[in-house]
Amino acid sequence: MLFLLLVLSVLGGGSCSSPDVQCLIINLEYLKCTWSHGKLPEVNYTFSFKFSPMRNYMNCSRYLQEGGPNIGCIIDKPDRFKKLYINLSHSNGTRVWDQQFDMVNKVKLNPPHNLSVEVNRQNQELWLYWNHSVKSNCRENQVMYRRNEESQWQFSTLLPADFYSLPQASLKSQYEFKVKTRVSNTCGMSEFWSDWGPPVWWYPAEQSNQTGPELGVDFQHKDRDAVTPGRKVLYPVMEHLPPRGHGVSV
Ligand SMILES: *[C@@H]1O[C@H](CO)[C@@H](O)[C@H](O)[C@H]1NC(C)=O
Ligand SMILES: *[C@@H]1O[C@H](CO)[C@@H](O)[C@H](O)[C@H]1NC(C)=O
Ligand SMILES: *[C@@H]1O[C@H](CO)[C@@H](O)[C@H](O)[C@H]1NC(C)=O
Ligand SMILES: *[C@@H]1O[C@H](CO)[C@@H](O)[C@H](O)[C@H]1NC(C)=O
Ligand SMILES: *[C@@H]1O[C@H](CO)[C@@H](O)[C@H](O)[C@H]1NC(C)=O
Ligand SMILES: *[C@@H]1O[C@H](CO)[C@@H](O)[C@H](O)[C@H]1NC(C)=O
Ligand SMILES: *[C@@H]1O[C@H](CO)[C@@H](O)[C@H](O)[C@H]1NC(C)=O
């Protein structure tokens, strides 16, 4: 009898189980909590939150909606070093779920931007640079790159600064680079990496005044270090290249 009751309560609990709420701090700018995860919730939940147990809950002021019910909430200026208390309830108030989250390590940054490649011909090095809105001493980075399209992706070690140098580069080859970043140990290590940012390419000079290899875009290459070999110079490498077939001139 007891067993049956247990089974029944488990089964009964299934449909009313606590909604799976996931919260992330996006780019250290805002907090995003979601509870739909691909499928529309059957219930239109009401979301409230607070950053201190002593306070009153505040109602969500920016719901994420997708064709009807609320599927998430955006909270501006979160304090990630304080515990997040959430209260999700049926909009008719009949059921309430309270949960607590530690947000310190739940940060997902935007990918780095403004990638550029420089070459040091004398040392056969390619240098990759990028920018990010979060200061660099709060982040660590990783670069992935491949020589030619057929090659395996290679991954750098974790990089404390916003540049990477690829030694022993084959300057007769094409290289493709991508970068990702995350909050580092110095600022409360995040469990999450950013997505990989858009790629940037380096082309050998021989290919540069042809149409970019298989890219269908015009690409002008100015070999500015021809005059002073070995000096690091900025190459006009394509940034944030659109998908193939969308022609742009650089
Ligand atoms: C939140 O919304 C509920 C229902 O609309 C309302 O009763 C309550 O006063 C609101 N709370 C705050 C802090 O605004
Ligand atoms: C869900 O509730 C929100 C307010 O929290 C309301 O704006 C929205 O219209 C509701 N959606 C549905 C499908 O009831
Ligand atoms: C959670 O929200 C519901 C509906 O807004 C409210 O009735 C309930 O008191 C809240 N729970 C807590 C612990 O404040
Ligand atoms: C509240 O909503 C739930 C889910 O839609 C429903 O099962 C329940 O009957 C509602 N309660 C009231 C008092 O309307
Ligand atoms: C991106 O690069 C451009 C030109 O190289 C520069 O003007 C701009 O300030 C850079 N953006 C950031 C966020 O550093
Ligand atoms: C962007 O990166 C370049 C190259 O590393 C650097 O010179 C510049 O200061 C950076 N801009 C910002 C806003 O950090
Ligand atoms: C680049 O273009 C110029 C003029 O179109 C041509 O003379 C030269 O041979 C080309 N260089 C290469 C490496 O293809």
Side-chain angles (χ1 to χ4, degrees):
M1 189 59 196
L2 184 64
F3 174 74
L4 192 62
L5 279 176
L6 273 175
V7 169
L8 283 176
S9 67
V10 166
L11 286 177
S15 58
C16 280
S17 64
S18 169
D20 177 22
V21 183
Q22 287 177 10
C23 296
L24 271 182
I25 293 179
I26 306 295
N27 212 40
L28 293 180
E29 288 168 5
Y30 61 92
L31 176 64
K32 181 180 177 181
C33 292
T34 54
W35 50 85
S36 80
H37 314 302
K39 54 177 197 228
L40 282 187
E42 291 160 18
V43 176
N44 198 17
Y45 292 110
T46 300
F47 183 92
S48 50
F49 65 96
K50 59 186 179 183
F51 290 101
S52 159
M54 312 306 288
R55 294 282 187 84
N56 292 324
Y57 281 93
M58 293 191 291
N59 293 326
C60 178
S61 58
R62 264 173 79 193
Y63 279 109
L64 297 169
Q65 289 165 338
E66 212 171 71
N70 301 330
I71 60 167
C73 178
I74 301 282
I75 300 163
D76 290 317
K77 301 197 172 57
D79 186 344
R80 78 182 167 113
F81 296 102
K82 289 189 178 153
K83 204 178 272 275
L84 169 68
Y85 299 81
I86 67 146
N87 174 0
L88 201 65
S89 59
H90 277 195
S91 26
N92 66 17
T94 50
R95 265 209 73 129
V96 173
W97 291 273
D98 292 303
Q99 275 175 268
Q100 298 175 15
F101 295 96
D102 286 312
M103 296 306 300
V104 180
N105 313 115
K106 304 279 191 300
V107 180
K108 182 167 176 170
L109 296 178
N110 294 337
H113 58 268
N114 261 12
L115 268 66
S116 62
V117 185
E118 299 179 10
V119 65
N120 179 326
R121 291 191 179 273
Q122 203 164 45
N123 299 343
Q124 301 240 329
E125 289 167 336
L126 291 178
W127 287 72
L128 184 66
Y129 298 91
W130 56 90
N131 293 123
H132 199 278
S133 58
V134 173
K135 60 184 190 232
S136 66
N137 58 5
C138 262
R139 287 182 294 106
E140 63 188 7
N141 312 275
Q142 192 176 30
V143 168
M144 72 191 268
Y145 64 92
R146 61 180 175 179
R147 194 179 142 177
N148 308 319
E149 305 232 331
E150 312 79 49
S151 311
Q152 297 271 324
W153 287 105
Q154 310 285 318
F155 296 86
S156 74
T157 54
L158 300 188
L159 310 163
D162 286 341
F163 64 84
Y164 173 65
S165 80
L166 176 65
Q168 308 283 301
S170 159
L171 300 184
K172 293 206 182 320
S173 301
Q174 170 197 324
Y175 284 90
E176 179 177 0
F177 298 93
K178 294 183 189 183
V179 189
K180 67 178 182 179
T181 192
R182 71 172 168 186
V183 173
S184 62
N185 221 358
T186 44
C187 297
M189 175 72 96
S190 181
E191 294 164 23
F192 298 92
W193 283 96
S194 73
D195 295 332
W196 290 102
V200 67
W201 280 270
W202 189 84
Y203 295 103
E206 300 82 69
Q207 291 179 15
S208 63
N209 67 354
Q210 304 164 6
T211 301
E214 301 164 21
L215 291 166
V217 298
D218 293 326
F219 182 69
Q220 280 190 327
H221 186 95
K222 301 191 187 77
D223 200 349
R224 282 189 243 155
D225 74 341
V227 194
T228 49
R231 191 171 60 92
K232 267 195 256 157
V233 290
L234 186 64
Y235 275 68
V237 176
M238 283 174 282
E239 289 186 24
H240 304 254
L241 200 78
R244 292 180 181 195
H246 298 242
V248 289
S249 309
V250 176

